[in-house]
């Protein structure tokens, strides 16, 4: 009596696939529970301190905002209005200034702070 050697492998493969499907469903349910327990629901926290927000600008504009690879921001408030600064932060300017480095709410906070620099 010879048995078919493929059948045990097929059974193991089917059981493995079913196990992966069950674990995936359980994992998705746990992800939703963790998001609800955390209270944030996956939303990012808006940073209110412009001194912290400016850290994403330091690499191009320098630690004192005097300019490095990018232009100086020490007197940017005399050149641009709050709305213009916020538009540049959100959308970028040319090829040197990328947009979207901070959220829209953080861009508004940063723009108000930079507009005071005259």
């Amino acid at each position: 009596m010879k048995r078919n050697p493929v059948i045990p492998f097929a059974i193991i493969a089917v059981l493995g696939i079913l196990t992966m499907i069950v674990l995936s469903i359980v994992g998705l349910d746990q992800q939703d529970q963790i998001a609800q327990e955390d209270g944030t629901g996956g939303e990012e926290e808006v940073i209110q301190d412009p001194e912290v927000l400016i850290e994403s600008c330091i690499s191009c504009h320098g630690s004192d905002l005097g300019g490095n690879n990018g232009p100086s921001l020490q007197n940017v408030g005399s050149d641009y209005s709050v709305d213009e600064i916020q538009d540049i932060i959100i959308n970028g300017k040319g090829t040197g200034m990328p947009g979207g480095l901070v959220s829209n709410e953080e861009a508004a906070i940063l723009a108000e702070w930079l507009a005071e620099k005259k």
Side-chain angles (χ1 to χ4, degrees), residues 3-116:
R3 293 187 177 182
N4 190 350
V6 176
I7 292 176
F9 293 112
I11 292 173
I12 292 171
V14 168
L15 288 175
I17 291 171
L18 289 175
T19 304
M20 288 176 46
I21 291 171
V22 169
L23 290 176
S24 295
I25 292 170
V26 170
L28 288 173
D29 187 45
Q30 289 177 348
Q31 181 182 7
D32 293 338
Q33 289 175 355
I34 291 170
Q36 289 173 357
E37 289 173 6
D38 189 20
T40 60
E43 297 174 10
E44 290 185 21
E45 182 180 335
V46 176
I47 299 172
Q48 300 291 328
D49 185 8
E51 299 285 338
V52 174
L53 291 172
I54 205 69
E55 290 178 10
S56 61
C57 309
I58 288 175
S59 62
C60 293
H61 297 285
S63 60
D64 63 348
L65 301 179
N68 192 12
N69 295 334
S72 172
L73 298 179
Q74 290 178 339
N75 298 320
V76 72
S78 60
D79 296 332
Y80 297 104
S81 69
V82 175
D83 293 333
E84 291 171 328
I85 295 171
Q86 184 175 354
D87 182 61
I88 292 171
I89 294 170
I90 293 172
N91 300 317
K93 183 174 182 183
T95 57
M97 172 63 189
L101 296 176
V102 294
S103 70
N104 290 349
E105 295 85 11
E106 292 170 341
I109 294 166
L110 198 53
E112 288 179 26
W113 183 72
L114 287 170
E116 296 173 0

